[in-house]
Amino acid sequence: MKERGKIFLLVLVGAFIGSDLRYLESLIFKTTNGFPLGTLVANLTGAFIMPFLIHYLQDRYNLSSKVVLTLSTGLLGSYTTFSTFTADSYRLYQSGNWVSLLIYLTITILGGFVVAILGNYWAASRAFNDYVKKEQDR
């Protein structure tokens, strides 16, 4: 099998796992008031995990580009979901639930940005702590 075919299959496996996790999360965070909490949790946790994966785990464990693609594009790409975010936003708009719509948009967009920054800081902190520990062990 050619290299591209192997990468395609790895991303496919990651997407399979990510979509199953996303569905499970939608069941766990199901609300009775129509607020899309499951999508919000998926998108915020994905925004937090992605920079940590890229900036810490990849360097710390020397992950190959195949593993990073599997986890980022495959798993996290199917776990987080812009299309569901858009559909949920439109549903809140159509139902006239303006307060929930504003809260959802604000938390998703600004919250996603903030947790991505936090994920970067967490990655940098872990990398620094690993460096200090390595130096102390010398």
Side-chain angles (χ1 to χ4, degrees):
M1 181 180 277
K2 292 187 176 196
E3 190 66 18
R4 286 185 179 174
K6 290 178 186 176
I7 293 170
F8 178 81
L9 287 176
L10 288 171
V11 171
L12 185 70
V13 168
F16 175 78
I17 295 167
S19 62
D20 286 344
L21 289 173
R22 172 70 186 89
Y23 178 69
L24 178 63
E25 188 170 65
S26 72
L27 297 175
I28 292 170
F29 292 100
K30 191 167 185 80
T31 61
T32 57
N33 64 358
F35 189 81
L37 185 60
T39 305
L40 180 63
V41 170
N43 288 335
L44 292 179
T45 56
F48 180 78
I49 293 168
M50 183 69 82
F52 186 74
L53 165 69
I54 292 171
H55 298 294
Y56 178 72
L57 295 178
Q58 181 178 9
D59 292 337
R60 173 73 167 95
Y61 297 103
N62 280 344
L63 300 180
S64 71
S65 60
K66 292 176 198 171
V67 172
V68 172
L69 264 175
T70 300
L71 295 175
S72 62
T73 302
L75 194 141
L76 287 175
S78 66
Y79 172 71
T80 59
T81 172
F82 187 74
S83 58
T84 304
F85 161 71
T86 305
D88 288 341
S89 298
Y90 187 73
R91 187 179 42 75
L92 291 170
Y93 166 79
Q94 273 201 309
S95 69
N97 199 339
W98 303 107
V99 173
S100 289
L101 175 61
L102 184 60
I103 290 169
Y104 184 55
L105 290 172
T106 301
I107 292 174
T108 300
I109 295 167
L110 294 178
F113 180 69
V114 168
V115 296
I117 290 171
L118 292 173
N120 276 300
Y121 281 126
W122 187 35
S125 171
R126 292 292 307 255
F128 179 75
N129 289 340
D130 289 350
Y131 173 78
V132 169
K133 184 176 184 205
K134 190 177 185 180
E135 289 299 311
Q136 288 173 346
D137 290 343
R138 282 187 180 187

